[in-house]
Amino acid sequence: MATEHIIVVGAGQMGAGIAQVSLQAGLRVTLVDVSKEGLAKGADRIRAGLAKLVEKGKLDDAKRKAAEANLATSTSAAEVKDVDFAVEAVTENEELKRRIFQELDGVVKPGGVLATNTSSIPITRIAAGTKRPEAVIGMHFMNPVPVMQLVELIRGAATSDETYQRTRALAEKMGKTTVVSKDMPGFIVNRILIPMLNEACFALMEGLGTAEDIDTAMKLGTNQPMGPLQLADFIGLDTCLSIAEVLHKGLGDSKYRPCPLLRQYVDAGWYGKKSGRGFYKY
């Protein structure tokens, strides 16, 4: 079964990015979000991303126009027809994701794939809420999606070989490199990344150094392009906290406990770059 029409649920930065690379791969894309304002912003982000590629000489204008013509939007997934492949890219809330997957169950064609962009929630639990758990898989893109080359593929307990092969083929069609992770909290990237970011929060809370010194030390001492606190701001401190909570609960080890300072910043509404303030002001 060829993948021609993909539905992306969630028009935020991740969803818009997934929709953009899908359009660049020649697919028809329907971007879905319950917020009309969020949907409009997501579509604008996609068009701006395609235009930037034309400016850089990485995409010709004819392909840009074709990609834009293949983009549709909707405020209801249930109204979308003839879907071959679905990618859910909403916030890290398990109950919300399970509700969306129950809806997608009735939208995606028989034999199609239901993928989640979750960065930490077990795929098996999400799949259990559908009538076809064999068609559910984790497809974790990195942010920003049009730039980052990696996609983590996570097979749930029931994920079929056919579902895995179709998902891997689609990721490669988008120009991505894939790795496969077991269905464990955090998967590969966040299992390693979030504890590092969380430890940087502890270092700041304990006065080990200023945010600037901690980030400079890690950039120059470990050759990272961005310090851990700045990276946390870019990811979103609320997202970092959610993933840390999933790791702590799912693995049951106190070493994954979220830093109180991280929780305090989230309580204050200081989510990082997207809110204008996190460990830095923007």
Side-chain angles (χ1 to χ4, degrees):
M1 180 178 175
T3 299
E4 298 178 354
H5 182 200
I6 182 171
I7 182 175
V8 179
V9 182
Q13 188 173 9
M14 290 300 294
I18 294 167
Q20 181 184 322
V21 296
S22 300
L23 290 166
Q24 289 169 216
L27 301 174
R28 288 190 297 117
V29 178
T30 301
L31 182 65
V32 176
D33 200 292
V34 293
S35 166
K36 289 184 179 180
E37 181 182 358
L39 198 56
K41 286 182 178 178
D44 286 344
R45 184 179 283 120
I46 292 167
R47 286 189 281 267
L50 293 171
K52 187 175 292 185
L53 291 175
V54 174
E55 289 176 13
K56 293 181 177 179
K58 295 181 178 180
L59 186 72
D60 64 50
D61 200 52
K63 289 183 178 178
R64 176 193 64 79
K65 290 178 180 177
E68 289 189 6
N70 277 334
L71 175 64
T73 59
S74 177
T75 55
S76 172
E79 295 177 359
V80 184
K81 307 298 181 185
D82 299 318
V83 177
D84 304 309
F85 200 109
V87 181
E88 166 274 313
V90 302
T91 188
E92 286 291 278
N93 179 304
E94 185 171 342
E95 280 306 309
L96 174 60
K97 289 180 185 292
R98 285 172 70 94
R99 288 200 303 271
I100 289 171
F101 267 74
Q102 288 170 358
E103 188 170 28
L104 291 175
D105 217 350
V107 171
V108 177
K109 294 176 183 177
V113 174
L114 289 75
T116 173
N117 183 54
T118 181
S119 53
S120 61
I121 299 170
I123 307 305
T124 301
R125 287 215 302 263
I126 294 174
T130 75
K131 296 176 182 177
R132 40 176 159 173
E134 72 284 352
V136 178
I137 192 168
M139 193 179 191
H140 180 212
F141 291 82
M142 305 295 121
N143 189 28
V145 178
V147 175
M148 301 294 280
Q149 292 299 302
L150 182 68
V151 173
E152 282 184 305
L153 301 181
I154 309 96
R155 299 181 64 157
T159 304
S160 69
D161 289 341
E162 182 183 357
T163 295
Y164 165 71
Q165 293 295 347
R166 283 196 61 192
T167 306
R168 179 179 176 181
L170 179 60
E172 291 175 349
K173 188 174 182 180
M174 294 173 177
K176 305 301 183 184
T177 298
T178 63
V179 296
V180 180
S181 170
K182 287 180 65 176
D183 190 16
M184 296 286 287
F187 316 133
I188 295 173
V189 173
N190 283 324
R191 174 72 176 269
I192 297 168
L193 176 63
I194 295 300
M196 183 189 76
L197 304 187
N198 195 47
E199 192 63 28
C201 296
F202 274 111
L204 181 64
M205 184 179 76
E206 294 167 8
L208 188 64
T210 65
E212 291 82 359
D213 282 346
I214 290 169
D215 277 353
T216 299
M218 291 303 293
K219 283 192 292 184
L220 301 184
T222 62
N223 201 30
Q224 297 182 36
M226 184 182 299
L229 296 174
Q230 184 185 14
L231 178 56
D233 273 356
F234 275 56
I235 293 171
L237 302 191
D238 53 337
T239 300
C240 290
L241 177 60
S242 294
I243 299 170
E245 288 174 334
V246 169
L247 289 173
H248 189 209
K249 181 180 179 180
L251 297 170
D253 193 319
S254 62
K255 72 179 180 179
Y256 297 110
R257 71 196 187 283
C259 175
L261 183 63
L262 174 61
R263 193 178 298 280
Q264 183 184 54
Y265 276 35
V266 172
D267 287 344
W270 299 349
Y271 301 145
K273 191 174 185 295
K274 63 186 175 184
S275 69
R277 180 169 183 175
F279 294 111
Y280 298 91
K281 292 183 179 178
Y282 299 89

